[in-house]
């Protein structure tokens, strides 16, 4: 464990003004509830509906499950802290938050790569799609995504727990992350900072390049399709590309550069911890007739 003279940390939060914090509470609580309900509805619909059995929906259900966990790692504590005068978290709780935040964040990155591969096979190798993307392969790819996130996060936390923390005990952020916590170590953390930044940043950058390459190949191959086939494939790919940009843009901004002031980092972090997980179910369901029909049938059956 981290060699520490302190057991409790104070979190500065997003804003210092109590009135602004109350406004943020009123704004962000409905957003979090919408995130859990929206993604939860997708998980339930995909698992109950008999029409959503293709690999794409297995991955979509897994992505929604990750989104619920990813958002729940940070947002409930963040929202409750908006009403607290003093925002505190234990050092162990802080390390746990970092672990699950990176675990689920990287699992999501790998799932997005898997979803791009699924679309690549569906569009570029349609005759072999069902043999390549069997249910066994799909579940294996989901498992590998979760395992990759777990191993990545384990490395990050093991590096962090070797540091001695002796104060000050104030984290300049609204949740626990690696760079703000490193500021509290009573030793030089240059090597550790570069290591964890490379670990996170290279995963994000390499995955992003793989995703961009995949979608370029897909778009080139769409020229062979009829106008109707192109329209359907583009509609599906547009949802994926939108989610990829929303997720990877902030991640690359934060983890592929040296940290300066944390003010802009905090605002960017709000986007990918609070807003993006809510947008994903909206993006995927608005453009997908099959999901909307399955949700409608589920609603009719219940009522």
């Amino acid at each position: 464990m981290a060699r520490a003279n302190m057991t409790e940390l104070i979190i500065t939060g997003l804003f210092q003004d109590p009135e602004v914090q109350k406004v943020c509470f009123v704004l962000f609580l409905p957003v979090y509830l919408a995130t859990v309900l929206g993604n939860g509805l997708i998980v339930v619909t995909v698992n109950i509906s008999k029409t959503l059995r293709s690999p794409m929906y297995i991955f979509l259900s897994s992505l929604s499950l990750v989104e619920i966990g990813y958002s729940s790692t940070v947002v409930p504590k963040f929202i409750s802290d908006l009403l607290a005068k003093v925002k505190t978290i234990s050092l162990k709780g802080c390390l746990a938050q970092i672990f699950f935040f990176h675990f689920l964040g990287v699992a999501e990155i790998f799932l997005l790569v898997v979803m791009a591969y699924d679309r690549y096979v569906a569009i570029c190798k349609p005759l072999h799609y069902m043999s390549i993307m069997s249910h066994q392969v799909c579940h294996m790819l989901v498992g590998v995504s979760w395992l990759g996130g777990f191993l990545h996060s384990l490395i990050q936390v093991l590096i962090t727990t070797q540091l001695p923390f002796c104060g000050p005990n104030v984290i300049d952020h609204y949740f626990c992350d690696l760079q703000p916590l490193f500021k509290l170590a009573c030793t030089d953390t240059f090597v550790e900072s570069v290591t964890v930044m490379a670990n996170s940043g290279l995963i994000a950058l390499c995955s992003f390049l793989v995703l961009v390459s995949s979608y370029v190949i897909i778009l080139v191959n769409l020229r062979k399709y009829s106008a109707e086939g192109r329209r359907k494939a583009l509609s599906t790919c547009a949802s994926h590309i939108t989610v990829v940009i929303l997720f990877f843009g902030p991640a690359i901004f934060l983890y592929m550069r040296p940290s300066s002031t944390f003010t802009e980092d905090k605002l960017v972090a709000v986007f990918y911890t609070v807003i993006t997980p809510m947008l994903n179910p909206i993006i995927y369901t608005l453009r997908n007739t099959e999901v909307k029909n399955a949700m409608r049938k589920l609603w009719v059956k219940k009522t």
Side-chain angles (χ1 to χ4, degrees):
M1 277 298 295
R3 290 161 292 163
N5 296 332
M6 54 183 185
T7 55
E8 192 173 64
L9 307 173
I10 296 168
I11 300 169
T12 59
L14 188 60
F15 300 107
Q16 305 306 312
D17 189 325
E19 293 305 312
V20 175
Q21 291 187 59
K22 286 174 187 173
V23 171
C24 288
F25 178 85
V26 171
L27 288 173
F28 293 143
L29 180 59
V31 170
Y32 174 66
L33 294 175
T35 299
V36 175
L37 290 172
N39 284 290
L41 184 58
I42 287 178
V43 173
V44 170
T45 304
V46 170
N47 284 282
I48 288 178
S49 174
K50 292 175 182 176
T51 58
L52 305 178
R53 286 286 177 262
S54 69
M56 181 172 77
Y57 298 115
I58 293 172
F59 299 138
L60 179 58
S61 173
S62 299
L63 183 71
S64 293
L65 194 61
V66 168
E67 289 285 23
I68 292 170
Y70 178 72
S71 184
S72 297
T73 300
V74 171
V75 181
K77 170 80 173 126
F78 164 52
I79 290 172
S80 63
D81 279 348
L82 288 169
L83 299 181
K85 286 186 178 178
V86 181
K87 305 160 182 49
T88 60
I89 187 169
S90 69
L91 181 59
K92 287 181 180 177
C94 184
L95 291 169
Q97 191 176 60
I98 289 171
F99 174 80
F100 285 106
F101 180 69
H102 282 263
F103 166 33
L104 295 164
V106 171
E108 178 168 352
I109 287 175
F110 290 146
L111 275 172
L112 290 171
V113 172
V114 166
M115 290 172 86
Y117 175 68
D118 172 65
R119 290 301 84 205
Y120 163 76
V121 176
I123 290 166
C124 302
K125 299 177 186 291
L127 299 177
H128 304 286
Y129 179 69
M130 291 316 294
S131 59
I132 295 172
M133 299 302 291
S134 65
H135 275 244
Q136 189 178 356
V137 169
C138 291
H139 292 302
M140 184 196 74
L141 289 171
V142 170
V144 167
S145 298
W146 284 81
L147 180 62
F150 176 82
L151 292 175
H152 157 81
S153 192
L154 189 63
I155 292 166
Q156 304 290 69
V157 170
L158 285 175
I159 290 169
T160 308
T161 54
Q162 300 310 306
L163 295 171
F165 295 101
C166 50
N169 67 332
V170 179
I171 286 193
D172 186 17
H173 215 310
Y174 66 88
F175 69 98
C176 284
D177 204 0
L178 293 163
Q179 292 303 329
L181 184 60
F182 281 2
K183 298 281 183 186
L184 311 188
C186 42
T187 185
D188 181 54
T189 59
F190 176 77
V191 174
E192 289 82 1
S193 293
V194 170
T195 306
V196 298
M197 291 283 276
N199 191 1
S200 296
L202 287 174
I203 287 174
L205 186 61
C206 293
S207 300
F208 185 68
L209 292 174
V210 169
L211 285 162
V212 170
S213 305
S214 301
Y215 287 119
V216 168
I217 294 167
I218 287 168
L219 293 172
V220 168
N221 275 270
L222 281 178
R223 291 182 300 177
K224 302 172 189 173
Y225 280 64
S226 64
E228 177 62 17
R230 266 201 304 272
R231 188 192 63 77
K232 283 182 73 176
L234 278 170
S235 178
T236 305
C237 288
S239 301
H240 289 278
I241 292 166
T242 305
V243 169
V244 165
I245 292 167
L246 287 173
F247 186 84
F248 279 88
I252 290 171
F253 172 81
L254 285 181
Y255 292 105
M256 284 302 291
R257 64 178 183 79
S259 61
S260 48
T261 61
F262 286 119
T263 310
E264 58 188 11
D265 288 9
K266 287 183 196 178
L267 295 173
V268 172
V270 166
F271 188 76
Y272 71 80
T273 56
V274 183
I275 309 298
T276 303
M278 179 197 69
L279 293 177
N280 286 1
I282 297 169
I283 292 164
Y284 281 117
T285 52
L286 280 180
R287 289 184 157 272
N288 195 306
T289 310
E290 284 181 313
V291 174
K292 283 192 282 189
N293 288 341
M295 284 181 176
R296 207 172 287 122
K297 284 177 186 172
L298 192 68
W299 179 257
V300 170
K301 194 184 286 186
K302 288 224 170 192
T303 54

